[in-house]
Amino acid sequence: MAEDLFVRARSAMRKAHAPYSKFPVGAALRTRDGRIYAGCNVEVVSFPEGWCAETTAISQMVMDGGGEIAEIAVVAEKLSQCSPCGGCRQRIAEFGWPETRIHLCDAEGGVRTTLTLDEMLPRSFPTEALS
């Protein structure tokens, strides 16, 4: 089932704006109701003030009315099984739940490893603590 996310993430990666790091990344997420959103990393000259592929995909989801992340695939051109950075892990936690699946992909063959958010970010900051 994650293969379609890999394809969308790889397509997004090809649109990355990474002139400084030369490290293009793509991500695609599926909401619990089945919608898919993709994003790429976008760098700016005041490095590292750009944004990550996961952030772009989450922003697309938010702009379309929000949702809960069921699963997300991340792919980088130069690194097999590229995992989300710490900030993106917390962003995924904001819109996901402990069972959200995170698929780490390689640039050519698809999903290599799948982890849950709880495995990747144990003891994340609980948003309900702010209620």
Side-chain angles (χ1 to χ4, degrees):
M1 185 165 194
E3 188 65 25
D4 61 336
L5 291 180
F6 163 71
V7 170
R8 295 281 298 272
R10 186 172 58 181
S11 178
M13 178 184 67
R14 293 182 179 133
K15 297 176 182 175
H17 179 73
Y20 309 106
S21 71
K22 310 277 192 270
F23 193 79
V25 180
L29 66 85
R30 182 185 335 272
T31 59
R32 290 182 80 175
D33 63 5
R35 294 173 292 149
I36 296 176
Y37 301 95
C40 63
N41 58 322
V42 180
E43 297 176 352
V44 296
V45 73
S46 63
F47 193 75
E49 292 300 317
W51 51 93
C52 299
E54 301 91 330
T55 300
T56 305
I58 291 168
S59 297
Q60 295 282 342
M61 178 189 73
V62 170
M63 289 298 295
D64 192 41
E68 292 182 315
I69 301 172
E71 57 185 330
I72 186 167
V74 182
V75 62
E77 184 178 87
K78 297 179 180 179
L79 179 64
S80 180
Q81 302 182 61
C82 180
S83 67
C85 72
C88 285
R89 291 176 191 201
Q90 186 61 49
R91 287 179 190 93
I92 295 166
E94 185 86 11
F95 296 97
W97 72 97
E99 295 78 26
T100 295
R101 294 177 307 282
I102 302 170
H103 307 292
L104 309 180
C105 307
D106 64 24
E108 300 304 321
V111 175
R112 305 295 296 174
T113 301
T114 298
L115 302 165
T116 65
L117 179 60
D118 195 44
E119 291 171 320
M120 185 163 279
L121 186 63
R123 299 188 182 109
S124 64
F125 189 85
T127 56
E128 61 271 6
L130 299 175
S131 300

